[in-house]
Amino acid sequence: MRDALGREATDAERYDAVARAAALVVIDHYSTSFTLATRLLGPRVRDHVRTVYALVRIADEIVDGPGRAGAGDETGLRRLVDAFESETIAAVASGFSTDLIIHAFASTARECGIQEGLIRPFFDAMRTDVTVTTHDAASHGTYVHGSAEVVGLMCLQVFLNAGRHRTLTAPAHLRAGARHLGAAFQDINFLRDADHDRQVLGRDYLGGDDATVRAATLDRIRRDLNVAARAIPDLPPDCRRAVVAAHQLFAALARRLEAGGSGRASVPNSHKALIALRASFGGTAREVTA
């Protein structure tokens, strides 16, 4: 294996490359929309963002997928989450893990300045999924921060710091935009998946399913998307197109959810392609109106 200059890769570089490839496999198999958006990222940041989402995806599979089935009970499931968190924190400190997905994330975290203050709230949210079945306003806010807002902040760290010689501190308005965009994505997913969450997982993330709760959630989504839209123009150019595409994709989902209808809301592939095309030619993230 050789690099772009024809130099033979070291063992460490080869292992890093394999770990990044493993993260890409995870993303390609779980999210077509996310895969489409990441293709619009510049090469400086693309693989790093994929490693963040691969770690998040595997953690989700622990609490909601085969991990739940294999754990046996709540105690076993919590042990799995705790072990995954411990290995992640240790890998960020040491720079190595035998788990390829964790290793890829740790490499990104070390380069881009993703600290424990962003990692631990995410795993706290995953532990919440082990025991909490119904959320109120307070627990919803805490859960969304840990499961989504900090992921947006991790990506912001990548956008600002990947490939740099020093770690930059994100300005407040970009941090706000990242948090609000993550929150909007999460609430949209809660609305889309409400039937599955209640009937299969036995969870209610929104504190009810009546028209009042639904309207309040859609209002919150609009506000979050609009805060994010105002911050996106100040992102680095090689990140902006992908974030615009993701924002506009979820704005389209929000409009479909507001329109009602039966079944799980989705955006047709032709519309996704149009959103990506517009973003690639410099389209902007438009604010969402009621």
Side-chain angles (χ1 to χ4, degrees), residues 7-276:
R7 181 179 60 89
E8 185 69 24
T10 66
D11 289 344
E13 290 167 340
R14 185 178 294 108
Y15 191 79
D16 288 346
V18 171
R20 290 192 299 270
L24 177 57
V25 170
V26 171
I27 295 307
D28 281 348
H29 280 73
Y30 277 101
S31 178
T32 56
S33 297
F34 180 76
T35 299
L36 177 65
T38 58
R39 287 175 182 157
L40 296 177
L41 289 168
R44 177 181 68 89
V45 297
R46 187 182 301 125
D47 284 348
H48 289 300
V49 171
R50 287 167 171 167
T51 69
V52 170
Y53 274 85
L55 184 92
V56 168
R57 181 71 254 178
I58 296 302
D60 194 60
E61 288 302 302
I62 292 174
V63 296
D64 287 343
R68 176 172 289 270
D73 56 20
E74 287 185 0
T75 300
L77 188 54
R78 187 182 178 94
R79 285 198 191 103
L80 287 176
V81 176
D82 290 348
F84 198 61
E85 178 187 34
S86 295
E87 177 63 19
T88 300
I89 297 297
V92 172
S94 70
F96 178 78
S97 175
T98 57
D99 182 310
L100 288 173
I101 302 304
I102 291 177
H103 181 87
F105 173 82
S107 297
T108 289
R110 288 165 64 88
E111 178 175 332
C112 301
I114 298 173
Q115 305 292 333
E116 284 189 36
L118 295 180
I119 298 169
R120 291 201 182 277
F122 171 74
F123 283 101
D124 286 342
M126 295 302 97
R127 275 186 286 271
T128 298
D129 276 337
V130 177
T131 56
V132 176
T133 57
T134 301
H135 287 268
D136 58 19
S139 66
H140 170 272
T142 301
Y143 182 85
V144 168
H145 174 71
S147 64
E149 291 180 12
V150 298
V151 178
L153 291 169
M154 289 179 194
C155 290
L156 181 59
Q157 288 295 106
V158 170
F159 296 162
L160 296 181
N161 296 309
R164 310 296 190 199
H165 295 298
R166 62 189 181 92
T167 301
L168 302 176
T169 300
H173 75 292
L174 289 185
R175 288 178 58 83
R179 291 197 310 273
H180 283 276
L181 190 59
F185 289 178
Q186 187 67 293
D187 270 338
I188 288 168
N189 283 329
F190 287 158
L191 284 177
R192 291 177 79 199
D193 298 332
D195 289 343
H196 176 270
D197 289 341
R198 284 193 305 272
Q199 296 168 14
V200 178
L201 301 177
R203 296 196 201 121
D204 177 3
Y205 288 106
L206 297 173
D209 190 41
D210 57 32
T212 301
V213 170
R214 187 177 182 86
T217 303
L218 286 165
D219 284 342
R220 185 168 63 241
I221 288 168
R222 278 192 292 270
R223 291 194 300 271
D224 285 334
L225 287 172
N226 290 344
V227 171
R230 293 190 285 272
I232 290 172
D234 291 333
L235 291 174
D238 59 351
C239 309
R240 202 177 301 144
R241 293 180 304 168
V243 181
V244 167
H247 179 283
Q248 293 300 104
L249 173 61
F250 275 82
L253 278 170
R255 287 190 290 271
R256 287 175 178 270
L257 287 164
E258 191 160 18
S262 59
R264 187 176 187 268
S266 63
V267 176
N269 287 337
S270 58
H271 192 180
K272 289 180 184 177
L274 181 59
I275 288 170

